Amino acid sequence: MRRLVWNELLPKDRYLVRMARPISFAETGFVTQLYLPIIGVESYSLYQLLVHGVQEKSGAATEGTHRSLMLTTSLSLDKLLDARERLEAIGLVEVRRRENQQRDYYYEYLVKPPLTPAEFFADYVLSLMLLNKIENIRFQQLRQQYADVLGSGLDQEYSIVENVTKDFHEVFQSLKPSELEVKKGSERELFLTEMETSFPQAALKSNYEAQVNHPLSVSSLRLYLPDNADSSKVLDGKSMELLYQLCHFYQLDSWGMGQELRDWTLYKSDRSLDGEVLRKRLVQRYTEDKLYRNNLVPTSGEDEWGPGRLPEPGSEAFVRACRLLSPLALLERVVGGRVSKVFLERAETLVFADGLQAEVVNALILHTLASMQMELPKAYMETIRDSWKAKRIATVDEAVKQILERADQRAQTQEKAKGSKKESSPVRRNGRAILQDKLPASVEWQREQEKNGEPSAKGKLISDDPELSKMLESLRKKQKGG
């Protein structure tokens, strides 16, 4: 089934390519040997196309449309987007959407260099992904190809090291302060200013460090495990999935999670991880403000919502917040700081006990806060949770659809209630309701018959009955206010 991408990207959309820093010939080889088996030919071709699209001499940006990329790569729009997203996920491309005041926009692609072979093989996830793709013999050949036996032997045999590198000022002693001084308003200052304005340089960084964006480095987590933990059980299967979820929820990196995994009480008698104990520990550690958290979770700083202000359901800000933020980060933004243990446990239970997707939990939290005056009643949330689970709501888009449909139904019910209330509202005089006396139903029916010129079955009129005539006259006087 082909992916529908027209609401995400169009062939006419413009793009601009930049480089984080120049990419060497050797680094191009790293991408070919190490990354190609993981990302596939389509993503590899797109990466090479973007790299060579930037001007080689200056690193200046180049511009084009996605239609040109489709024609050059012979890829349909959905396959082109899939190829780009694989490059994003593995850390070779960063995508930004730029827009001006006239709502004219283009996509900016920042091309990044790959990891070095040593960094690549040290990363547990990437190393195993490559091994799964190329199997043992080819993996061994690559390890041998990028090995440094002489350098490793030198480090081991000659372990006493002294840095004898000369400092800049030790070599350039003749440099005088007057040579570095540029006076204000001087001809030299005007010349340098003109150069900056007329010939802006590409934003290349010689000290840029390549990195891949996944929250956990499994190889580093092994170093933190105590003696009563079996790494093959702790860092495998469901335990690993739980660790990834906890890192996203609490915004923990490898080091922060490693500090928690040091505790020997987290492990069962079979040396596996006790997930329930770890969850309770993290709740307590957060409450006591003892978690080692990072601030790498993206925030929507440009969105005008925060304490006391919630994004409208279905708005771009609502969807962005649900997709980018963890439930805890979203609550912290709503309350303007650390959240209470009650709020934390509400969100934590929805993710880890009820098994809802994080973006669906965010939508449920925002909907509940908006509906219940910034409170999170347990019963109310459980009712919505059960309804959404029964309807198999798995994405924020599906959750938003349910929220809007529920709002429409509530509005229609209120309109009907107002209409019926208006019809049955009592007569008022001077702001007070006047109780209305009513004739018996049989008498009302007879009055209608007489108005239509039809006599009753007995042939008598209401005026023939003194008691009914008196009651009718009394009712008329009350209605007139007499």
Side-chain angles (χ1 to χ4, degrees):
M1 182 177 179
R2 296 184 62 180
R3 179 179 178 183
L4 298 177
V5 297
W6 297 101
N7 57 341
E8 301 178 52
L9 189 68
L10 295 174
K12 68 177 182 179
D13 288 343
R14 295 180 298 162
Y15 72 90
L16 182 144
V17 186
R18 280 179 164 163
M19 276 191 177
R21 66 160 174 79
I23 295 177
S24 67
F25 179 77
E27 288 174 326
T28 304
F30 300 160
V31 176
T32 304
Q33 301 283 11
L34 303 177
Y35 286 81
L36 172 57
I38 297 175
I39 61 179
V41 175
E42 294 176 347
S43 295
Y44 175 78
S45 301
L46 179 60
Y47 182 76
Q48 294 292 342
L49 182 61
L50 296 177
V51 167
H52 295 292
V54 179
Q55 297 182 26
E56 296 180 1
K57 291 182 179 179
S58 62
T62 57
E63 185 181 4
T65 65
H66 287 84
R67 175 177 170 77
S68 65
L69 287 179
M70 293 167 62
L71 293 174
T72 306
T73 59
S74 298
L75 296 176
S76 59
L77 188 62
D78 57 334
K79 290 184 177 180
L80 181 67
L81 185 57
D82 287 340
R84 191 195 80 187
E85 288 176 346
R86 284 193 292 272
L87 294 177
E88 299 170 33
I90 209 161
L92 293 177
V93 170
E94 184 174 318
V95 181
R96 301 186 182 100
R97 189 178 188 274
R98 291 186 175 270
E99 189 171 331
N100 58 17
Q101 298 297 329
Q102 290 74 39
R103 302 192 70 80
D104 184 27
Y105 67 91
Y106 64 84
Y107 290 89
E108 179 185 18
Y109 296 152
L110 180 65
V111 180
K112 298 181 177 181
L115 298 170
T116 65
E119 293 169 332
F120 186 95
F121 287 119
D123 188 284
Y124 184 78
V125 175
L126 294 180
S127 182
L128 278 185
M129 288 178 69
L130 179 62
L131 177 59
N132 292 335
K133 290 289 185 179
I134 62 177
E135 299 185 346
N136 294 4
I137 297 178
R138 179 57 181 160
F139 188 83
Q140 180 180 342
Q141 291 173 346
L142 289 176
R143 288 300 303 251
Q144 184 176 359
Q145 177 180 338
Y146 292 114
D148 184 10
V149 179
L150 289 177
S152 177
L154 181 69
D155 292 339
Q156 294 177 8
E157 186 175 354
Y158 299 89
S159 57
I160 302 173
V161 181
E162 180 186 359
N163 193 336
V164 294
T165 307
K166 294 290 185 182
D167 184 74
F168 177 86
H169 294 287
E170 288 184 74
V171 178
F172 297 98
Q173 296 179 6
S174 61
L175 194 63
K176 300 176 182 179
S178 59
E179 296 181 64
L180 301 177
E181 184 181 359
V182 178
K183 295 182 179 180
K184 267 194 169 184
S186 65
E187 183 178 346
R188 174 160 290 188
E189 187 198 32
L190 294 175
F191 173 77
L192 291 175
T193 303
E194 182 183 352
M195 293 298 99
E196 289 288 335
T197 306
S198 303
F199 307 106
Q201 298 298 294
L204 300 176
K205 298 178 181 179
S206 60
N207 61 342
Y208 177 82
E209 295 183 2
Q211 58 184 355
V212 63
N213 294 321
H214 53 243
L216 283 183
S217 174
V218 182
S219 55
S220 65
L221 283 183
R222 296 176 186 273
L223 303 175
Y224 300 104
L225 299 180
D227 294 336
N228 67 320
D230 185 346
S231 60
S232 63
K233 294 181 179 179
V234 175
L235 304 178
D236 188 30
K238 291 185 177 180
S239 295
M240 200 64 236
E241 182 181 353
L242 174 64
L243 292 179
Y244 271 106
Q245 288 181 320
L246 288 170
C247 281
H248 175 259
F249 186 87
Y250 288 100
Q251 302 162 65
L252 300 174
D253 57 13
S254 297
W255 190 84
M257 177 56 77
Q259 302 310 305
E260 307 306 322
L261 293 179
R262 288 179 182 274
D263 188 352
W264 65 272
T265 62
L266 298 177
Y267 305 95
K268 302 177 183 178
S269 57
D270 63 352
R271 304 180 69 191
S272 63
L273 179 66
D274 191 328
E276 291 299 317
V277 175
L278 177 59
R279 282 177 51 199
K280 292 177 182 178
R281 173 185 171 86
L282 292 179
V283 170
Q284 187 63 32
R285 295 273 289 175
Y286 176 87
T287 306
E288 297 172 355
D289 195 17
K290 293 181 179 180
L291 276 183
Y292 300 99
R293 305 171 67 200
N294 60 48
N295 297 315
L296 298 179
V297 174
T299 57
S300 309
E302 69 275 11
D303 295 330
E304 295 183 357
W305 69 274
R309 301 187 309 277
L310 298 177
E312 288 292 326
S315 66
E316 185 179 352
F318 186 98
V319 175
R320 186 188 300 118
C322 291
R323 286 177 176 165
L324 297 184
L325 300 178
S326 77
L328 179 57
L330 182 137
L331 282 173
E332 288 178 331
R333 176 117 183 236
V334 169
V335 303
R338 298 182 59 77
V339 303
S340 66
K341 188 175 181 180
V342 174
F343 272 32
L344 170 61
E345 289 178 340
R346 293 279 194 274
E348 199 265 358
T349 301
L350 290 172
V351 175
F352 299 103
D354 300 328
L356 296 180
Q357 295 292 328
E359 62 184 60
V360 177
V361 172
N362 285 339
L364 194 157
I365 289 173
L366 288 175
H367 173 58
T368 304
L369 289 170
S371 303
M372 306 302 291
Q373 289 82 44
M374 304 303 282
E375 295 286 343
L376 294 179
K378 183 178 180 180
Y380 184 86
M381 295 185 72
E382 289 178 347
T383 301
I384 300 177
R385 176 205 65 192
D386 293 344
S387 173
W388 287 8
K389 289 182 74 172
K391 296 175 181 177
R392 298 184 179 182
I393 303 300
T395 66
V396 63
D397 295 325
E398 294 172 347
V400 166
K401 183 179 178 181
Q402 289 296 317
I403 292 172
L404 296 179
E405 288 179 356
R406 183 182 176 90
D408 289 342
Q409 292 174 358
R410 190 185 300 113
Q412 293 175 5
T413 302
Q414 290 175 348
E415 285 295 325
K416 291 180 180 178
K418 286 181 181 179
S420 60
K421 184 178 180 181
K422 187 174 181 181
E423 291 175 2
S424 61
S425 59
V427 178
R428 293 181 176 272
R429 187 175 296 115
N430 297 328
R432 294 182 178 180
I434 305 299
L435 296 177
Q436 297 288 314
D437 290 336
K438 293 185 177 181
L439 293 172
S442 58
V443 178
E444 288 286 356
W445 178 83
Q446 188 172 346
R447 286 185 63 197
E448 291 296 325
Q449 293 291 96
E450 291 181 6
K451 285 182 181 179
N452 297 331
E454 298 178 7
S456 64
K458 296 180 180 181
K460 291 185 178 182
L461 301 176
I462 294 178
S463 56
D464 296 336
D465 191 323
E467 187 175 349
L468 287 179
S469 298
K470 186 177 180 180
M471 182 185 299
L472 182 59
E473 186 64 27
S474 174
L475 182 59
R476 287 172 178 169
K477 287 182 179 180
K478 287 183 179 180
Q479 290 178 344
K480 293 179 179 179

